[in-house]
Every structure is written in structure tokens, then in C-alpha cells.
């Protein structure tokens, strides 16, 4: 089974299950037409994209470059990577439905079987080996948010935690053996930064080392790598534990185990070293003068030009499965999402159905959403303006139904909007709005932000 | 064959083929392990994501909500939608490799065959029918950037234009029959805005209407819909033509035909009305008082509660296939991408290898990339700061090799960077940089922008 997305040890039965909480916010549905592939509704997709955008915003400073890679690869690739055998029943196989009409001039493999990818690593190896790499080019870090598929038994599927289709914030670092320390240190800092941002933790770090009997490479290689991992762990200043002999045969790893508010442990991030895949894909780089001088030999460089070396691959994921991470956040926030992440940051309620009121509601909605507006009245019928890529748009909802205010407020609170904004004749007059703040930890800031957007100070009637 | 992603009528042989130009910028590679599924290198993925981000930034003002939907659905869904038969050999079939171990308690369909999705529509129909919809809720607009697969013959595959795996800026509008005009008007405005942004055009609009013999629904329904399409086309102020009788049996459509600089025509965007899918998926909404009063009946509402109606589906894509649109842009810009889209906006070259120079290079790289930097010298070893989601990061490259400046400049020009920045002892002294501008139409602005970032006026040595 995969080290990168292991199943949660016990079925999740915390006080409020993510599947129940997800209904309040209309995050996702499931369908018998695709068991284990949750369908993310607009609010769920919003959460998903915020998580993705947050990580993307961090990639430049950590040197990751995103790539976009295929969903299906021929069986022969999975045989080369070892997945076809080792992963066997966890994989879906894909076949063209009658690749007819060109049997005469068919390419070799025209009718070959494909596999639906359970992991991105083989694809990234193809990208690495597309160019001649020098020791100076390393580390090379490819990130990939592709959808992945693993064929779990349908009886085991549940919500966002036990799925067949999921996305990882997956990345592979191709580095020299002497770069492992620096890469692991950076990765641990990355993990810390992300988990702090979401207020997740504490977490513990687990180092799994060389198994006793069956392993690839030399003892020296393992020792050298493990020493770097241990140093990085110590330098991180966090608690860490040793799982001696518990590593995979192809490399040591670090697991990040998160404790939630109910004391339940979740394995989320993983950092897995890999000495095997570089060998299977015959990955190499032109050695540095130092490497040539010391001239180490090992099974994994056998057959290589003496001027070349194999890189080490580090598989790493910080969220792990985004779907599972979302489930975790749903329970972590229990419906009270911070403003920047909230799929329901604000709703505007109209006090009446006067056209002037409705116009003001629509104006506030546009302004608070972050939309560029036409400058003059007559522009209203002109072509829409292109919105800038740097604008963060907020999904501001409105309720302009004929219902009374009490009912509207009750409905809005049930849906857990961070802010409830009420607009009537008075607000039309003043050009302002009446604000109720719910589920918003940083109240003064938000008053300021909204006020600044409007260019006015806000009246506030707090609740909760 | 699909109306939404038809093959280009002729193989693309313009003066410079996109496959050649793509090599200059390292945009993508292909692999025999997955024919027709291009692997996007970091620069290609950057272009892809800019296009995606640009469209996402426009979605709020046009009322589209993004959703995330499965890659595989059971055969039974594709039978329901009609794709399994009508699309037959264009689809890939997917099968679990031995869903063993639970034949006893297996759900119905545990071992059922899946289809790899060639289109998003059936998934969006599932989302629509998940809730009871009222006439007030319409239009509902779902957008989806999912990967799609169509099994083209391998001999026909080529670059980014004839592929098996691609992504559309796909969306489905579920609306009332009386909302067609407004939706089409908005969609045509959207198309115009996007094509203007990229400087693409002119383009012509083609309306395909009801076929003579075989069609779904009533003549009245068709007439009413076609009248709205024609009015929207006329209101757009663009040239449009009639393709009488050339519509699909399930609804009329508008094609957008783009003429490139070589006079070659490309079909990109499509707006396809669909009276059939709502019927196959039994989609309905609670009718408005007006609809109940007029009480129209038609085959597509047969069997429906008299208080309910079927929505119309509008399939629409503005880019069409993102891969094909990128190919088009590659040839359109011929390597000279505008700054905001360019995968190589700037490179910094060091004049020497003095540590002070290298430090200044690294400082400039961070600042120009848009990275938040540690405030003090001692912060350098502190934890990295989370970068904001609203920052647009630029991929700024450096060349600090020991080669001479002449060689570095030649290499940088070959790679078509928009800006070449040179840093030596003098620049370290002044804290500035020396700038060469290439392929940048809006020179004064960029001087200003970079100067503002640095807080200094720039020395400039123009080239080209
Ligand atoms: Zn991996
Ligand atoms: Zn469609």
C-alpha cells in the first residue's frame, strides 16, 4: 500500500463528522454513478481552490515548479515503475473501445492497455530524463495537483476520507545525495508554516529507517541519508521519534502525525526518500568534481558512466490528500471558517423590495465581491471589463426574497455566514450598510477592511 | 463527433508550427508512454495556469461557479446520457483490476465498467438534480476545468492540437427558455472580452439552426430559441452568418470561427443549446406563475408534473480546448508573449562571481518575483513567511555561471526573455540593475513598474 496516502487507522467518528458538517455548507455530494469520487459543489470547490492557491503562492520561495502530466499511461510504464505488479488491484486499467480503422499502419502499442495513474512519480521521472542534467541543475522540484485514482473496495468508501479519486499537493524533489539535509530542512519548515496557518497541531514527527533484511543500495548510503534526516529533524526544534527498521525497502521516510482536538491522530504529510525509482528509470546527472574525486560506487550506480550519478528522489506532500485535508479542516473549524477560507464570507439581506434598495444591494454585492465596476451610469450597458488576476474575489451572496428580516437572518445564521449585512431605506440614504459579525475571530480588521472598500465607517450590530 | 472540440479541418502548417516554437520556450514534451497526452513542462504549465486564472477572475461577474467532478463514471451513466452508444469508439473504458475480496457483500455494480469522461455535462446534470430547483434559482451556471479524454487514433495525434487528453474551460448554463437571450448575450460579450484581451480576431459567428427531418422537441420551441439566438447575435454588433438546418438534432448552436494572421480559420468557442440532456436526466424546476399561466406542453415536458418545467442546457466554452488555445497563442505571439503571460518575463545575469554580486542577484530575484522578504539580516535563518494569495509571482530566472556576459546574453535572447537584467560591481554599489528590454510592447510602463518595486530609477540599455 502507498506510503503517501495511507488509510486512516480507524473510521472517523469524532463528535461531528465531516459529512454532516459538509451538508451545512453544501460542500460536496456523492453519487452511485461514481462511488468514491466526491462531486465538489461550488462551496467545496471554493475551499479546494483556496487550499491550492495558498500552496501555489508558497511554491516560488521553496523552488517548486508546477507541471501538468497525463492521467493515463501505458501498462509498460507501470511495469517499469513497478506499480503494475506491486500495486496490482489498487489500480484501474484503461482500454480504448475499439481503436479501429488503422490496424495496418498502427503504431506499436496502439491497442496496449493503459493504467489510470495512482501516483505522479513515473510521469515526473519522464520529465526529469527528458534533458541532460548536471549536478548544478539539482535540486529539481516538480509539483503536481493531478487527480489520482486508487481502486478501493466500494464498501470501504466514505465522504472525503476514504475515496477512489483524490488530489495530492504532490511533489518530487530530484537531488544529489549531499543535498538531502537542506531539502528536508526546507520541507519541514514548509510543513510547519502551512500547519501554523491553519492552526493545526501539535504534530509529531516519525523517522522510519532501514529495514533489517531487505533493502536497496548500500548500508553507507542509508546511513548517510538517515543521518541527514535526523539532523534536519533535530534542527526543526520539534519532537521526533524513531521507528527503527520501519522504512520501506527503497528508502527512509518521515511521517507527520497530526493530533486533532479530539486527540485522534491523522497521518497527513509524508516525506519519503527513494533510491529505487531513479534506478528503474535510469535517471542520471553529470557528477560534480567532488563526487568524481570521492568516486563512490554503489548498486544503484552500477552500469553508469563514471562521470554520472543517480539522483535521489524525495516524494513529499504537505496536505497529503486535499480531500482528506478538507475533511480534517471541516472538523477542525466545525463550520466556523476563517474569512479568507470561508465559502460563505458574507450575505446581504434586503429589508424591502424597493428598486432603490435592490440596486444598493446589488452595488454592495459587486463592491464587496471585489469586482471592477463601470465608472459611469451609461457604462452599465457597455461591455464588461476584464478583471485583474491579482484581485481576490469573495463569493458574496444576497437574499432579496420577500420574506421578513427575521426569517432571512435565521436562514443566514443556519448557513453560517461570517457576516450578515442588512440593507434598507436608511442604508440606501446613507450609502452604507448594517453589519452583523458571526464566526469571525478578527473583528476590528474586518470592519476596517469592509469600511475601506466602501470608503465609509460602518454601523455595527454584533451578534453571538 | 463532438461539437465542443471538433478537429481542426486541416493539419496546421502555418509558417512556424507551434511544436517548433514550443521548444524555444520549453513548453511541453510528448511521450510514447501516453500518446496524445502532452506533458506540460513548468513553462507550459505556467501558461496554462495564467489562462485558467484569467478566466477564473472573470467568472464572478458572469455568475459562473466552479465545481470539481469525477473523472470516471459507471457505464450506466454514459448509457443514460447517450454517450456510450453515440460516442462509442471515442471513449476509453475503465475497469478495476480485480475488485476482489468482497463479492459477498458487494454493492450492485461493484465490478461494473466505467467510462473515462469525454465531457462534463452528465456530471453537471447530477449536480443540478441534487436539489429541488425553482424558477427563481435559474440560471445556474457550473464551470469545470476537468481533464477530458477522447480516444483518437494514434496516427492522427500531434502536439497540442490533436490530443487524447485535454482541458476545456467548460461550463453548463441551466436556464428557463425565456432566459436564453440574456444568457447568449452575456456569453457573446464574454467571448469578445477574452479575445480582445489576447488580441485575437477578427472572428465570425455562425448560427446553425433546426435540421429538416430529425429533431427533438417542437417547432415552436426551436423557433423561440433560434429567435433569441439571432437577436443576441445582432445585438453583439458583430458579423454573423446563418447555417440553416445545420444544427444538431438536440438544439441550435453558435460557433465562433477565428481567423489567424495567416488567414487560417480555427473553431474555438462554441455555444450549444441542448433540449435533450435535460430530458434524459429528467431535470426539472418549479415553474414560474407566468409559465403555469401560459401552460405550454411539449414532448420534452411530457410526464412532468404540470407545476414543473424542464430547463434548457447551454454548453459553452470560450477558449474551447485549453491545449489547442495555447497552440493558437504560441503561433499568434510567435514567441513574443506579453509580460503578464510570459513564462520567461526576465532573467538576471551576473557580471562576475563575487559573493556580493551573487547576493545582489539573489536579492533582485526575490524582489522582482514578488516574494515577501525577511525584514532584517538575522531573519534570514528564521522560518519562511507565508506569501499572500493575492500576490502575482513572476518566474524570474538567473544565470550566475562563470561564462562571459556575451555568451549569457546570447543564451538569454535565444530563450526570448522579455527582460535581461545585468548585475555587476557597479549595480551592487548603486543597489540598482541594468535593464535590456526585449519583446515588450509597453516599455515605459515596465520601467516604471520595476523601478517602483525597487524604489529606484532604472538605467536602461535598449536592444532590438
Ligand atoms: Zn511519488
Ligand atoms: Zn457539455
Amino acid at each position: 500500500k502507498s506510503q503517501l496516502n495511507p488509510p486512516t487507522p480507524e473510521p472517523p467518528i469524532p463528535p461531528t463528522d465531516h459529512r454532516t458538517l459538509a451538508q451545512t455548507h453544501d460542500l460536496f455530494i456523492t453519487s452511485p454513478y461514481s462511488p468514491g469520487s466526491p462531486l465538489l459543489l461550488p462551496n467545496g470547490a471554493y475551499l479546494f481552490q483556496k487550499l491550492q492557491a495558498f500552496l501555489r503562492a508558497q511554491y516560488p520561495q521553496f523552488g517548486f515548479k508546477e507541471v501538468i502530466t497525463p492521467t493515463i499511461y501505458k501498462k509498460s510504464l507501470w511495469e517499469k515503475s513497478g506499480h503494475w505488479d506491486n500495486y496490482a488491484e489498487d489500480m484501474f486499467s484503461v482500454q480504448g473501445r475499439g481503436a479501429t480503422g488503422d490496424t495496418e499502419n498502427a503504431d506499436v502499442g496502439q491497442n496496449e492497455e493503459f493504467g489510470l495513474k495512482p501516483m505522479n512519480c513515473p510521469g515526473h521521472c519522464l520529465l526529469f530524463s527528458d534533458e541532460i542534467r548536471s549536478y548544478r541543475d539539482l535540486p529539481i522540484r516538480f509539483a503536481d495537483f493531478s487527480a489520482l485514482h486508487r481502486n478501493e473496495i466500494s464498501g470501504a468508501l466514505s465522504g472525503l476520507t476514504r475515496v477512489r479519486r483524490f488530489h495530492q499537493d504532490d511533489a518530487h524533489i530530484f537531488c544529489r545525495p549531499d543535498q538531502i539535509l537542506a531539502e528536508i530542512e526546507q520541507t519541514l519548515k514548509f510543513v510547519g508554516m502551512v500547519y501554523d496557518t491553519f492552526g493545526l497541531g501539535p504534530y509529531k514527527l516519525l523517522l522510519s529507517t532501514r529495514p533489517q533484511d531487505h533493502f536497496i543500495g548500500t548500508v553507507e548510503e542509508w546511513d548517510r541519508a538517515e543521518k541527514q534526516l535526523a539532523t534536519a529533524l533535530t534542527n526543526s526544534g520539534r519532537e521526533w521519534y524513531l521507528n527503527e527498521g520501519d522504512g520501506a525497502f527503497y528508502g527512509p521516510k518521515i511521517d507527520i502525525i497530526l493530533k486533532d482536538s479530539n486527540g485522534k491522530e491523522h497521518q497527513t504529510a509524508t516525506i519519503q526518500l527513494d533510491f529505487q525509482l531513479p534506478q528503474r528509470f535510469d535517471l542520471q546527472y553529470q557528477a560534480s568534481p567532488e563526487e568524481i574525486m570521492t568516486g563512490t560506487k554503489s548498486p544503484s550506480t552500477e552500469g553508469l558512466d563514471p562521470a554520472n550519478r543517480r539522483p535521489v528522489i524525495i516524494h513529499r506532500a504537505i496536505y497529503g490528500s486535499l480531500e482528506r485535508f478538507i475533511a480534517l479542516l471541516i472538523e477542525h473549524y466545525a463550520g466556523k471558517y476563517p474569512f479568507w477560507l470561508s465559502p460563505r464570507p458574507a450575505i446581504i439581506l434586503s429589508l424591502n423590495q424597493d428598486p432603490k434598495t435592490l440596486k444598493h444591494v446589488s452595488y454592495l454585492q459587486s463592491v464587496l465581491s471585489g469586482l471592477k465596476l463601470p465608472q459611469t451610469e451609461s457604462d452599465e450597458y457597455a461591455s464588461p471589463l476584464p478583471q485583474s488576476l491579482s484581485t481576490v474575489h469573495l463569493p458574496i451572496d444576497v437574499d432579496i426574497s420577500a420574506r421578513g428580516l427575521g426569517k432571512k437572518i435565521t436562514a443566514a445564521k443556519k448557513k453560517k455566514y461570517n457576516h450578515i449585512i442588512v440593507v434598507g431605506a436608511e442604508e440606501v440614504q446613507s450609502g452604507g450598510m448594517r453589519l452583523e459579525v458571526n464566526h469571525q475571530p478578527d473583528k476590528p480588521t474586518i470592519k476596517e477592511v469592509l469600511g475601506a472598500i466602501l470608503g465609509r465607517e460602518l454601523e455595527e450590530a454584533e451578534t453571538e
Side-chain angles (χ1 to χ4, degrees), chain A residues 282 284-287 292 301-310:
Chain A
D282 191 23
Q284 37 188 294
Y285 64 90
Q286 296 163 339
I292 289 183
T301 55
E302 217 170 303
L304 261 190
D305 184 304
N308 286 354
R309 292 289 180 281
R310 297 228 184 277

Side-chain angles (χ1 to χ4, degrees), chain A residues 4 119-122 168 170-172 274 277 313-316:
Chain A
L4 289 183
M119 292 184 182
N120 293 308
C121 346
Q168 284 189 332
D170 200 11
H172 295 96
D274 194 331
L277 221 48
I313 292 181
I314 304 173
H315 311 253
R316 79 105 188 90

Side-chain angles (χ1 to χ4, degrees), chain A residues 197-391:
Chain A
T197 300
F198 295 100
L200 294 172
Y203 57 84
K204 65 179 183 201
L205 298 162
L206 268 184
L207 172 61
S208 297
T209 54
R210 176 169 51 82
Q212 277 252 299
D213 12 290
H214 176 53
F215 58 90
I216 195 177
T218 64
V219 174
E220 290 72 40
E221 281 181 316
W222 279 81
D223 286 350
R224 197 172 154 206
E226 285 173 6
K227 209 180 142 194
Q228 295 184 74
L229 294 184
T231 306
L233 284 166
T234 302
N235 291 351
S236 79
R238 308 241 178 196
E239 272 188 286
W240 68 274
Y241 304 89
L242 190 63
N243 248 354
E244 217 174 326
D246 209 38
F249 75 91
Y250 52 87
K253 70 165 173 173
I254 296 171
D255 286 319
I256 287 88
I257 315 283
L258 191 70
K259 216 176 221 166
D260 71 18
S261 40
N262 308 302
K264 200 166 149 272
E265 295 193 331
H266 302 265
Q267 200 210 304
T268 49
T270 313
I271 307 168
Q272 169 76 58
L273 263 60
D274 194 331
F275 304 136
Q276 185 204 32
L277 221 48
Q279 205 176 337
R280 283 183 173 263
F281 280 86
D282 191 23
L283 306 184
Q284 37 188 294
Y285 64 90
Q286 296 163 339
S288 72
E290 290 86 340
E291 285 174 312
I292 289 183
M293 251 178 23
T294 58
T296 45
K297 269 191 184 175
S298 78
S300 68
T301 55
E302 217 170 303
L304 261 190
D305 184 304
N308 286 354
R309 292 289 180 281
R310 297 228 184 277
V312 175
I313 292 181
I314 304 173
H315 311 253
R316 79 105 188 90
I318 308 230
Y319 295 142
S321 150
L322 261 84
E323 280 78 358
R324 200 148 47 88
F325 198 80
I326 289 175
L328 214 136
L329 287 183
I330 291 171
E331 297 185 5
H332 173 65
Y333 290 123
K336 302 191 175 190
Y337 298 99
F339 191 58
W340 75 275
L341 205 58
S342 174
R344 290 198 176 125
I347 187 167
I348 308 174
L349 315 179
S350 67
L351 256 180
N352 54 57
Q353 300 205 298
D354 185 314
K356 275 188 196 157
T357 303
L358 299 188
K359 199 177 166 190
H360 190 53
V361 166
S362 154
Y363 165 76
L364 284 177
Q365 183 187 25
S366 297
V367 170
L368 297 178
S369 298
L371 291 181
K372 233 188 270 176
L373 290 179
Q375 291 303 306
T376 64
E377 195 79 7
S378 69
D379 280 356
E380 254 182 64
Y381 303 97
S383 289
L385 296 170
Q387 308 286 321
S388 149
L389 276 72
S390 61
T391 309

